[in-house]
Every structure is written in structure tokens, then in C-alpha cells.
Amino acid sequence: EIVLTQSPATLSVSAGERATLSCRASQSVTTNLAWYQQRPGQAPRLLIYDASNRATDIPARFSGSGSGTDFTLTISSLEPEDFAVYYCQQRLNSWTFGQGTKVEI
Amino acid sequence: EVQLLESGGDLAQPGESLRLSCAASGFTFSDYGMAWVRQAPGKGLEWVSAINNGGFNTYYAASVRGRFAISRDNSKNTLYLQMSSLRADDTAVYYCAKEAGHARPFDHWGQGTLVTVSP
């Protein structure tokens, strides 16, 4: 089973600042990695697929990078609606989610 | 517009069974793999089960294998999850999710249905 480890568990930032979230896989997933955003009380929403491609209607302030085992989600300038929990997920071998990073004010 | 509407969540006692349904619309249901993902209260996302577009290939997390069964009726555009021998740690919101394509991420999610397992 491929394990995804996200860090940090909680990221405290201010609106307008840059946020950098990390996801590390226990073995290579090439670029078969996605990022999701989950706001309180809502279902998850796909942000990034194939490590670096923005999903439909996702603002340009969200970007993803990485390959193999190390991946990063960057939010260039946080908007109030970006305070949420972010999950990475791999689909190379079965389905696995990371444990999430909470971005809080 | 893609819509996924889950139903069937309820309060159940340990050992009982429940069946969840997910009614899909806004896309050609028979073209896409589907899955169930759950989230225990205050916890992260956990993939539970998946099924390919034709319904012939099914996959399960170790935590539910042998107790849960996923199925689909492409004529009714509906996904199912039959849950048996329920345990307290099955308590969660269960989301239905659509794959963007084979071995692709989940591009659409339902709003979830709550399953509570308690004596």
C-alpha cells in the first residue's frame, strides 16, 4: 500500500500570504497525484490532477508541482475562502489519501 | 451539470446492515468508474470501494473487504454500497465520487450521507 504523508498538519497563515503544502509518497507515484480542497461542511473539490494541472474553474493562485515521491501544493496569495483542509491522493496503485493539512488563519 | 445524490444513511446497531445509494445525473454514467469515500467525524478522507464503468471489476479497502459490496445499475444511473456486519468504526459520512476517467482522480463528489453505528 502506498502511504501519503502530508505536512504540516496545520498551517497558520494570513490572508494575502503564500501557503506551501507538502505531500510525500512512500514509493513513487510518478505524477499520478491529485489535490483536493475541503471546506467545512462541504464535500471535497478537485483542485489539481497529474501533480500540476489545475482542474476546471480552479483559480490560477493554486499550483502544484513534483513527481515521484515529493509533491507541493502552493497557494500564491490566500483568499478568505481558501482556509480549508487540503488532501493529496494517489491513483497509481489503488486509491490512497493523505491525512490532510488544515490551512487556518 | 453533474449531480451525485447519496441516500440511505441512517443509525444502525453493530452487526446490522445498510444499503447506500447514489443517483447520478448530468453525464453518461456507464462511461465512468465510481467510488465510495468516507470520512469519520473530525477525521480525514478514507477510500472505501470502487467499481469500474461496466461493473465487472470491484475493489475494496482492507477495512471493509468481506463486509461491504459495491455494485451499480447502469440502466438506473445508480451506484450502491451494501454494508453488512457494521461496526462502530464504520461511523462516517459516505461520499459517492465519480472518476474523471480510468485511473484518474475524482472530479465530482456528492454531498454525502451519514452512517452512524451505535448500540
PDB file of all heavy atoms in Angstrom, chain A residues 12-34:
ATOM      1  N   SER A  12      -0.687  27.852   9.770  1.00  0.00           N
ATOM      2  CA  SER A  12      -1.309  29.122  10.190  1.00  0.00           C
ATOM      3  C   SER A  12      -0.740  30.255   9.353  1.00  0.00           C
ATOM      4  O   SER A  12       0.462  30.514   9.406  1.00  0.00           O
ATOM      5  CB  SER A  12      -1.071  29.365  11.671  1.00  0.00           C
ATOM      6  OG  SER A  12      -1.644  28.331  12.455  1.00  0.00           O
ATOM      7  N   VAL A  13      -1.577  30.898   8.588  1.00  0.00           N
ATOM      8  CA  VAL A  13      -1.151  31.961   7.685  1.00  0.00           C
ATOM      9  C   VAL A  13      -2.181  33.078   7.704  1.00  0.00           C
ATOM     10  O   VAL A  13      -3.288  32.902   8.226  1.00  0.00           O
ATOM     11  CB  VAL A  13      -0.959  31.448   6.248  1.00  0.00           C
ATOM     12  CG1 VAL A  13       0.221  30.495   6.159  1.00  0.00           C
ATOM     13  CG2 VAL A  13      -2.221  30.768   5.753  1.00  0.00           C
ATOM     14  N   SER A  14      -1.827  34.186   7.098  1.00  0.00           N
ATOM     15  CA  SER A  14      -2.746  35.320   6.978  1.00  0.00           C
ATOM     16  C   SER A  14      -3.206  35.444   5.544  1.00  0.00           C
ATOM     17  O   SER A  14      -2.508  35.022   4.612  1.00  0.00           O
ATOM     18  CB  SER A  14      -2.062  36.609   7.416  1.00  0.00           C
ATOM     19  OG  SER A  14      -1.640  36.523   8.761  1.00  0.00           O
ATOM     20  N   ALA A  15      -4.360  36.063   5.365  1.00  0.00           N
ATOM     21  CA  ALA A  15      -4.864  36.329   4.023  1.00  0.00           C
ATOM     22  C   ALA A  15      -3.829  37.171   3.276  1.00  0.00           C
ATOM     23  O   ALA A  15      -3.215  38.089   3.847  1.00  0.00           O
ATOM     24  CB  ALA A  15      -6.206  37.036   4.083  1.00  0.00           C
ATOM     25  N   GLY A  16      -3.618  36.817   2.015  1.00  0.00           N
ATOM     26  CA  GLY A  16      -2.641  37.522   1.199  1.00  0.00           C
ATOM     27  C   GLY A  16      -1.272  36.875   1.205  1.00  0.00           C
ATOM     28  O   GLY A  16      -0.434  37.184   0.348  1.00  0.00           O
ATOM     29  N   GLU A  17      -1.024  36.000   2.174  1.00  0.00           N
ATOM     30  CA  GLU A  17       0.273  35.324   2.252  1.00  0.00           C
ATOM     31  C   GLU A  17       0.295  34.105   1.331  1.00  0.00           C
ATOM     32  O   GLU A  17      -0.716  33.631   0.843  1.00  0.00           O
ATOM     33  CB  GLU A  17       0.579  34.909   3.687  1.00  0.00           C
ATOM     34  CG  GLU A  17       0.886  36.078   4.615  1.00  0.00           C
ATOM     35  CD  GLU A  17       1.333  35.612   5.996  1.00  0.00           C
ATOM     36  OE1 GLU A  17       1.033  34.466   6.390  1.00  0.00           O
ATOM     37  OE2 GLU A  17       1.987  36.418   6.692  1.00  0.00           O
ATOM     38  N   ARG A  18       1.485  33.562   1.176  1.00  0.00           N
ATOM     39  CA  ARG A  18       1.707  32.361   0.374  1.00  0.00           C
ATOM     40  C   ARG A  18       1.669  31.152   1.289  1.00  0.00           C
ATOM     41  O   ARG A  18       2.194  31.194   2.407  1.00  0.00           O
ATOM     42  CB  ARG A  18       3.073  32.468  -0.303  1.00  0.00           C
ATOM     43  CG  ARG A  18       3.475  31.326  -1.198  1.00  0.00           C
ATOM     44  CD  ARG A  18       4.906  31.562  -1.648  1.00  0.00           C
ATOM     45  NE  ARG A  18       5.352  30.669  -2.704  1.00  0.00           N
ATOM     46  CZ  ARG A  18       5.263  30.934  -3.999  1.00  0.00           C
ATOM     47  NH1 ARG A  18       4.725  32.073  -4.390  1.00  0.00           N
ATOM     48  NH2 ARG A  18       5.718  30.074  -4.885  1.00  0.00           N
ATOM     49  N   ALA A  19       1.039  30.076   0.805  1.00  0.00           N
ATOM     50  CA  ALA A  19       0.989  28.829   1.574  1.00  0.00           C
ATOM     51  C   ALA A  19       1.610  27.712   0.743  1.00  0.00           C
ATOM     52  O   ALA A  19       1.318  27.585  -0.454  1.00  0.00           O
ATOM     53  CB  ALA A  19      -0.447  28.476   1.931  1.00  0.00           C
ATOM     54  N   THR A  20       2.454  26.925   1.390  1.00  0.00           N
ATOM     55  CA  THR A  20       3.108  25.801   0.727  1.00  0.00           C
ATOM     56  C   THR A  20       2.832  24.524   1.514  1.00  0.00           C
ATOM     57  O   THR A  20       3.182  24.424   2.693  1.00  0.00           O
ATOM     58  CB  THR A  20       4.628  26.031   0.619  1.00  0.00           C
ATOM     59  OG1 THR A  20       4.862  27.255  -0.085  1.00  0.00           O
ATOM     60  CG2 THR A  20       5.280  24.881  -0.132  1.00  0.00           C
ATOM     61  N   LEU A  21       2.172  23.579   0.861  1.00  0.00           N
ATOM     62  CA  LEU A  21       1.791  22.322   1.486  1.00  0.00           C
ATOM     63  C   LEU A  21       2.557  21.189   0.826  1.00  0.00           C
ATOM     64  O   LEU A  21       2.757  21.200  -0.388  1.00  0.00           O
ATOM     65  CB  LEU A  21       0.286  22.063   1.318  1.00  0.00           C
ATOM     66  CG  LEU A  21      -0.704  22.916   2.105  1.00  0.00           C
ATOM     67  CD1 LEU A  21      -0.672  24.390   1.712  1.00  0.00           C
ATOM     68  CD2 LEU A  21      -2.113  22.356   1.929  1.00  0.00           C
ATOM     69  N   SER A  22       2.928  20.190   1.619  1.00  0.00           N
ATOM     70  CA  SER A  22       3.751  19.097   1.133  1.00  0.00           C
ATOM     71  C   SER A  22       3.031  17.766   1.232  1.00  0.00           C
ATOM     72  O   SER A  22       2.238  17.533   2.161  1.00  0.00           O
ATOM     73  CB  SER A  22       5.051  19.035   1.934  1.00  0.00           C
ATOM     74  OG  SER A  22       5.807  17.905   1.574  1.00  0.00           O
ATOM     75  N   CYS A  23       3.317  16.879   0.285  1.00  0.00           N
ATOM     76  CA  CYS A  23       2.789  15.524   0.282  1.00  0.00           C
ATOM     77  C   CYS A  23       3.923  14.603  -0.164  1.00  0.00           C
ATOM     78  O   CYS A  23       4.506  14.810  -1.229  1.00  0.00           O
ATOM     79  CB  CYS A  23       1.604  15.426  -0.677  1.00  0.00           C
ATOM     80  SG  CYS A  23       0.902  13.759  -0.861  1.00  0.00           S
ATOM     81  N   ARG A  24       4.237  13.626   0.663  1.00  0.00           N
ATOM     82  CA  ARG A  24       5.311  12.691   0.350  1.00  0.00           C
ATOM     83  C   ARG A  24       4.747  11.274   0.271  1.00  0.00           C
ATOM     84  O   ARG A  24       4.026  10.839   1.169  1.00  0.00           O
ATOM     85  CB  ARG A  24       6.408  12.760   1.403  1.00  0.00           C
ATOM     86  CG  ARG A  24       7.536  11.759   1.204  1.00  0.00           C
ATOM     87  CD  ARG A  24       8.747  12.131   2.021  1.00  0.00           C
ATOM     88  NE  ARG A  24       9.387  13.331   1.490  1.00  0.00           N
ATOM     89  CZ  ARG A  24      10.463  13.887   2.028  1.00  0.00           C
ATOM     90  NH1 ARG A  24      10.999  13.369   3.133  1.00  0.00           N
ATOM     91  NH2 ARG A  24      11.002  14.960   1.498  1.00  0.00           N
ATOM     92  N   ALA A  25       5.092  10.576  -0.815  1.00  0.00           N
ATOM     93  CA  ALA A  25       4.623   9.208  -1.018  1.00  0.00           C
ATOM     94  C   ALA A  25       5.672   8.203  -0.571  1.00  0.00           C
ATOM     95  O   ALA A  25       6.882   8.456  -0.696  1.00  0.00           O
ATOM     96  CB  ALA A  25       4.284   8.986  -2.489  1.00  0.00           C
ATOM     97  N   SER A  26       5.214   7.062  -0.077  1.00  0.00           N
ATOM     98  CA  SER A  26       6.132   6.037   0.428  1.00  0.00           C
ATOM     99  C   SER A  26       6.871   5.320  -0.705  1.00  0.00           C
ATOM    100  O   SER A  26       7.885   4.659  -0.467  1.00  0.00           O
ATOM    101  CB  SER A  26       5.357   5.014   1.272  1.00  0.00           C
ATOM    102  OG  SER A  26       4.333   4.394   0.506  1.00  0.00           O
ATOM    103  N   GLN A  27       6.365   5.444  -1.913  1.00  0.00           N
ATOM    104  CA  GLN A  27       7.048   4.967  -3.111  1.00  0.00           C
ATOM    105  C   GLN A  27       6.584   5.816  -4.275  1.00  0.00           C
ATOM    106  O   GLN A  27       5.577   6.523  -4.168  1.00  0.00           O
ATOM    107  CB  GLN A  27       6.777   3.480  -3.364  1.00  0.00           C
ATOM    108  CG  GLN A  27       5.322   3.126  -3.543  1.00  0.00           C
ATOM    109  CD  GLN A  27       5.117   1.627  -3.609  1.00  0.00           C
ATOM    110  OE1 GLN A  27       5.192   1.042  -4.682  1.00  0.00           O
ATOM    111  NE2 GLN A  27       4.853   1.006  -2.470  1.00  0.00           N
ATOM    112  N   SER A  28       7.303   5.734  -5.378  1.00  0.00           N
ATOM    113  CA  SER A  28       6.992   6.617  -6.495  1.00  0.00           C
ATOM    114  C   SER A  28       5.567   6.414  -7.012  1.00  0.00           C
ATOM    115  O   SER A  28       5.114   5.282  -7.188  1.00  0.00           O
ATOM    116  CB  SER A  28       7.971   6.379  -7.642  1.00  0.00           C
ATOM    117  OG  SER A  28       7.595   7.179  -8.762  1.00  0.00           O
ATOM    118  N   VAL A  29       4.902   7.540  -7.238  1.00  0.00           N
ATOM    119  CA  VAL A  29       3.589   7.529  -7.893  1.00  0.00           C
ATOM    120  C   VAL A  29       3.681   8.266  -9.226  1.00  0.00           C
ATOM    121  O   VAL A  29       2.657   8.674  -9.790  1.00  0.00           O
ATOM    122  CB  VAL A  29       2.491   8.143  -7.003  1.00  0.00           C
ATOM    123  CG1 VAL A  29       2.300   7.314  -5.742  1.00  0.00           C
ATOM    124  CG2 VAL A  29       2.791   9.593  -6.651  1.00  0.00           C
ATOM    125  N   THR A  30       4.881   8.426  -9.731  1.00  0.00           N
ATOM    126  CA  THR A  30       5.201   9.217 -10.936  1.00  0.00           C
ATOM    127  C   THR A  30       4.516  10.580 -10.773  1.00  0.00           C
ATOM    128  O   THR A  30       4.830  11.295  -9.836  1.00  0.00           O
ATOM    129  CB  THR A  30       4.761   8.488 -12.215  1.00  0.00           C
ATOM    130  OG1 THR A  30       3.347   8.295 -12.230  1.00  0.00           O
ATOM    131  CG2 THR A  30       5.439   7.123 -12.296  1.00  0.00           C
ATOM    132  N   THR A  31       3.581  10.937 -11.642  1.00  0.00           N
ATOM    133  CA  THR A  31       2.844  12.197 -11.463  1.00  0.00           C
ATOM    134  C   THR A  31       1.362  11.938 -11.226  1.00  0.00           C
ATOM    135  O   THR A  31       0.517  12.821 -11.393  1.00  0.00           O
ATOM    136  CB  THR A  31       3.005  13.131 -12.674  1.00  0.00           C
ATOM    137  OG1 THR A  31       2.596  12.429 -13.849  1.00  0.00           O
ATOM    138  CG2 THR A  31       4.439  13.615 -12.813  1.00  0.00           C
ATOM    139  N   ASN A  32       1.032  10.704 -10.792  1.00  0.00           N
ATOM    140  CA  ASN A  32      -0.364  10.330 -10.606  1.00  0.00           C
ATOM    141  C   ASN A  32      -0.845  10.775  -9.214  1.00  0.00           C
ATOM    142  O   ASN A  32      -1.188   9.959  -8.360  1.00  0.00           O
ATOM    143  CB  ASN A  32      -0.543   8.829 -10.784  1.00  0.00           C
ATOM    144  CG  ASN A  32      -1.965   8.471 -11.156  1.00  0.00           C
ATOM    145  OD1 ASN A  32      -2.911   9.036 -10.628  1.00  0.00           O
ATOM    146  ND2 ASN A  32      -2.120   7.523 -12.062  1.00  0.00           N
ATOM    147  N   LEU A  33      -0.844  12.103  -9.017  1.00  0.00           N
ATOM    148  CA  LEU A  33      -1.194  12.672  -7.729  1.00  0.00           C
ATOM    149  C   LEU A  33      -2.168  13.822  -7.913  1.00  0.00           C
ATOM    150  O   LEU A  33      -1.996  14.649  -8.828  1.00  0.00           O
ATOM    151  CB  LEU A  33       0.048  13.169  -6.985  1.00  0.00           C
ATOM    152  CG  LEU A  33      -0.297  13.569  -5.548  1.00  0.00           C
ATOM    153  CD1 LEU A  33       0.195  12.517  -4.561  1.00  0.00           C
ATOM    154  CD2 LEU A  33       0.199  14.928  -5.182  1.00  0.00           C
ATOM    155  N   ALA A  34      -3.167  13.869  -7.062  1.00  0.00           N
ATOM    156  CA  ALA A  34      -4.180  14.922  -7.103  1.00  0.00           C
ATOM    157  C   ALA A  34      -4.259  15.618  -5.747  1.00  0.00           C
ATOM    158  O   ALA A  34      -3.865  15.058  -4.719  1.00  0.00           O
ATOM    159  CB  ALA A  34      -5.539  14.328  -7.465  1.00  0.00           C
TER     160      ALA A  34
END
